[in-house]
Amino acid sequence: MAEVNRDLHADSGLSEADYEVLSTLSEVPGRAARFRDLAAAIRWSTSRLSHQLGRMETRGLVARRRAPEDGRGSDVELTESGWSVLSLAAVDHVRSVRRHVFDHLTAEQTKQLADIASSIAAAHEADSSDHP
């Protein structure tokens, strides 16, 4: 994965952490999420996420706003600039993952990898629901 991350940075200027935040936000309705929900979705501490978002805000990739529902929490929003950067980066990133990972696997190995990843994801989902 080190090669994939080097390619990501060389091609788009994004770090793996940048890409994870941007891609996660891109998948939620309205491209915005409650801060604590985003931290939970990417399995980061709130401190780590806060520092990462600070760096990304400086670059105009995301914006934090006070949550309108209660004024105590905050929402994180993918900006138009962030969406544009992610959209361009995704094409090269997928190509890099294919070149460094999937091009070295047979069809059967790819299926096995998908099965393994699904099992791990299901276990993590179960752990998350046991420990809110």
Side-chain angles (χ1 to χ4, degrees):
M1 291 313 294
E3 291 91 354
V4 171
N5 293 331
R6 275 194 291 278
D7 286 351
L8 177 64
H9 190 265
D11 294 339
S12 66
L14 294 175
S15 68
E16 177 185 12
D18 293 333
Y19 192 85
E20 185 159 11
V21 170
L22 294 176
S23 63
T24 301
L25 286 172
S26 76
E27 295 172 356
V28 296
R31 297 184 191 148
R34 190 73 180 238
F35 176 86
R36 70 173 180 264
D37 295 339
L38 179 59
I42 58 179
R43 297 181 171 274
W44 287 3
S45 70
T46 55
S47 176
R48 178 181 180 193
L49 180 58
S50 184
H51 288 290
Q52 179 66 36
L53 292 176
R55 291 186 292 272
M56 294 175 75
E57 279 182 298
T58 301
R59 294 165 39 217
L61 301 173
V62 297
R64 281 188 272 196
R65 305 201 191 319
R66 226 177 242 303
E69 308 87 55
D70 62 16
R72 294 181 312 192
S74 61
D75 291 336
V76 181
E77 176 181 62
L78 178 62
T79 64
E80 284 302 316
S81 176
W83 173 249
S84 295
V85 169
L86 176 64
S87 296
L88 291 172
V91 174
D92 289 331
H93 187 58
V94 167
R95 188 176 300 124
S96 176
V97 170
R98 186 173 294 124
R99 183 174 72 246
H100 292 295
V101 179
F102 291 100
D103 285 355
H104 304 283
L105 302 176
T106 65
E108 179 61 25
Q109 289 170 323
T110 300
K111 183 186 177 326
Q112 291 169 345
L113 181 60
D115 291 344
I116 292 166
S118 293
S119 294
I120 293 169
H124 283 287
E125 285 288 320
D127 287 347
S128 293
S129 64
D130 289 344
H131 303 93

